[in-house]
Amino acid sequence: LVIEFEKSVSRRHMRNLIIVMAATALCGCAAQVQTKVTAFHELDQPLTGKTFIFIPTKEQEGSLEYRSYAKTVQSELEKRGMTLVPFNQATYGVFMFYGIDDGKEIISTYPIFGQTGTSGAYTSGSVTTYGNTASVNATTYKTPTYGVVGSGTSSDTVFKRYLNIDIVDIKKSTNEKIDKVYEGKAISSGSSGTLSVVMPAMIRSVFDEFPGKSGATKDIIKNLE
């Protein structure tokens, strides 16, 4: 009876522990991307009414991936009052450079939880008397305790992603000298090896409080969409 009770209590505590751990995991909700953004700029303020055009590299011309990222950047610039126009009408030219590495294997350890012992015990029962004699029918119950009983290891691949956005003043630039007015660098690391999955969040991080304080570096967290 004692053994069966201990098993029952143990299963109940372990079940509650699993529920708590599952709830904690679910509270993480949407996956997130943390991006380190550094920007230098000499952009005239406000940006409302300013015009721009995208200038792809030879490798980016005709790329559907590039077009997808450019649309996201365009949306962010338009939110700030800027307008996409033909090249001969544009004040600013926007360049984008992006990429991802092959990943790096990271070995980490994690705790293993289990029953570590008992925190106490109590006895419950009854006494039966027969004249000058008595008998005791009692059972001792033990309360299990839980904690770290060991550790395990796991292997994960971490990928480094980057995004650079440069903006130049077309009117003031020549073949000999480019007049750059904005230089933004964004770097993130994570388990996703698919650049297209994290790029929208990285772009939104670049435009967080855009253009921001020149020379400042910020760590920005955005949810994946």
Side-chain angles (χ1 to χ4, degrees):
L1 179 61
V2 175
I3 294 175
E4 288 302 318
F5 180 83
E6 289 180 358
K7 287 182 178 179
S8 175
V9 173
S10 177
R11 285 194 295 267
R12 185 166 63 251
H13 278 259
M14 185 58 71
R15 184 165 57 251
N16 292 339
L17 180 61
I18 292 173
I19 291 173
V20 171
M21 293 175 68
T24 302
L26 289 174
C27 285
C29 301
Q32 297 179 320
V33 177
Q34 180 172 327
T35 305
K36 184 179 293 293
V37 178
T38 303
F40 296 86
H41 75 89
E42 296 177 354
L43 279 169
D44 294 330
Q45 303 291 321
L47 298 175
T48 302
K50 300 295 192 300
T51 57
F52 68 95
I53 187 69
F54 288 98
I55 305 177
T57 65
K58 282 291 184 181
E59 294 76 13
Q60 293 170 341
E61 289 180 355
S63 168
L64 295 178
E65 181 182 19
Y66 174 83
R67 291 181 191 176
S68 176
Y69 301 156
K71 286 181 180 179
T72 305
V73 173
Q74 176 184 342
S75 175
E76 293 294 335
L77 290 173
E78 289 176 342
K79 289 177 183 177
R80 289 151 183 82
M82 300 181 70
T83 305
L84 180 67
V85 297
F87 183 83
N88 59 358
Q89 301 175 25
T91 300
Y92 297 128
V94 180
F95 295 85
M96 286 194 304
F97 308 96
Y98 48 83
I100 186 170
D101 67 10
D102 294 327
K104 180 180 180 181
E105 185 179 23
I106 303 296
I107 305 297
S108 57
T109 61
Y110 58 88
I112 297 176
F113 293 90
Q115 185 173 342
T116 57
T118 57
S119 61
Y122 70 93
T123 300
S124 176
S126 60
V127 178
T128 303
T129 60
Y130 300 94
N132 295 327
T133 63
S135 64
V136 178
N137 182 17
T139 303
T140 299
Y141 301 94
K142 295 182 179 180
T143 303
T145 58
Y146 295 93
V148 177
V149 297
S151 64
T153 60
S154 64
S155 174
D156 300 287
T157 301
V158 176
F159 297 89
K160 186 176 182 179
R161 296 84 57 135
Y162 75 88
L163 166 67
N164 294 347
I165 295 180
D166 292 343
I167 301 177
V168 302
D169 190 319
I170 296 176
K171 306 297 184 182
K172 296 180 181 180
S173 297
T174 65
N175 292 333
E176 290 75 29
K177 182 181 179 181
I178 298 296
D179 188 7
K180 188 182 293 187
V181 294
Y182 178 85
E183 185 178 286
K185 302 179 184 295
I187 297 175
S188 74
S189 297
S191 60
S192 177
T194 305
L195 188 60
S196 59
V197 172
V198 300
M199 185 55 67
M202 292 181 64
I203 292 174
R204 285 185 283 115
S205 294
V206 170
F207 285 94
D208 190 273
E209 299 181 358
F210 179 85
K213 181 181 178 181
S214 183
T217 297
K218 299 184 295 182
D219 287 311
I220 302 172
I221 298 176
K222 297 290 185 181
N223 291 334
L224 290 178
E225 295 183 342

